[in-house]
Amino acid sequence: MGNGGGGVAVDRVPHEKWDSQGGAGGWADRARFPSEAGAAGRAAPGLLEAIGCKPNEIARNQFDYLLEVASEGEVRAVEPDFAALARVDARGVVVTARSSDPKYDFVSRFFAPAVGVDEDPVTGSAHCCLAPHWRRKLGKDSLVAYQASARGGVVHLRVAGDRVVLGGNAVTIWSGELRV
């Protein structure tokens, strides 16, 4: 999801450029989205109790809260109260930390019960906030993320000005043509 800024573009690229789980010869999807950096802020009433963790940093963009915690273990251990979290004034909440695995720069989980998704397996729009956050902290334009949901998934990221390029394996569930 993004605000204006030229919309979304999707490309097909060889795995050599976006090797997310399988080596050369296959294909990965890559999309360019508007960056949705969060601004430092305070938690909404009930957010921290509902999510059940103690963040070191709190940020908010127009859609979601970003909560950075101290460790990957804390990210993986989060067990939100989904009913309480659905009452928080936000589309969703992303919990993130530096990865303990050197293959990844950071890990995250994304919860959005307010819009009917308790936990999303791999969330492109959340990474539009995560990429500028971790770019600022790590000083890197290109990042590799792991979303630590039950299914899990790797997301390759590149911050390019006011855009975030996301790449990884994807499954086409619908295709069509829109004529304007």
Side-chain angles (χ1 to χ4, degrees):
M1 299 182 107
N3 61 355
V8 176
V10 178
D11 303 319
R12 302 288 285 174
V13 296
H15 271 295
E16 289 87 4
K17 292 186 182 180
W18 293 94
D19 185 8
S20 62
Q21 294 179 19
W27 290 92
D29 288 305
R30 179 177 70 181
R32 294 179 300 277
F33 291 91
S35 178
E36 293 289 347
R42 298 166 58 115
L47 171 60
L48 299 181
E49 297 79 12
I51 200 73
C53 68
K54 292 185 170 80
N56 297 330
E57 284 189 44
I58 300 171
R60 170 90 195 248
N61 68 16
Q62 66 176 331
F63 302 112
D64 307 314
Y65 278 95
L66 182 150
L67 307 178
E68 184 184 333
V69 296
S71 72
E72 179 174 336
E74 287 182 66
V75 172
R76 292 179 180 273
V78 168
E79 293 183 22
D81 175 340
F82 293 118
L85 194 56
R87 292 188 294 273
V88 172
D89 184 26
R91 177 190 67 168
V93 178
V94 60
V95 180
T96 188
R98 287 284 312 256
S99 176
S100 59
D101 184 334
K103 293 188 299 190
Y104 310 113
D105 293 299
F106 65 90
V107 298
S108 66
R109 291 174 67 196
F110 183 76
F111 307 98
V115 294
V117 180
D118 284 349
E119 182 171 5
D120 194 46
V122 183
T123 315
S125 62
H127 284 84
C128 292
C129 182
L130 287 161
H133 175 81
W134 286 108
R135 175 188 189 217
R136 177 180 55 82
K137 297 197 81 129
L138 302 178
K140 299 169 67 174
D141 289 332
S142 294
L143 302 153
V144 181
Y146 184 75
Q147 190 155 336
S149 64
R151 186 184 88 195
V154 177
V155 182
H156 293 260
L157 306 155
R158 187 175 72 248
V159 179
D162 66 347
R163 310 294 283 181
V164 175
V165 181
L166 306 175
N169 290 334
V171 176
T172 301
I173 58 170
W174 182 85
S175 75
E177 187 174 319
L178 176 64
R179 295 177 191 219
V180 183

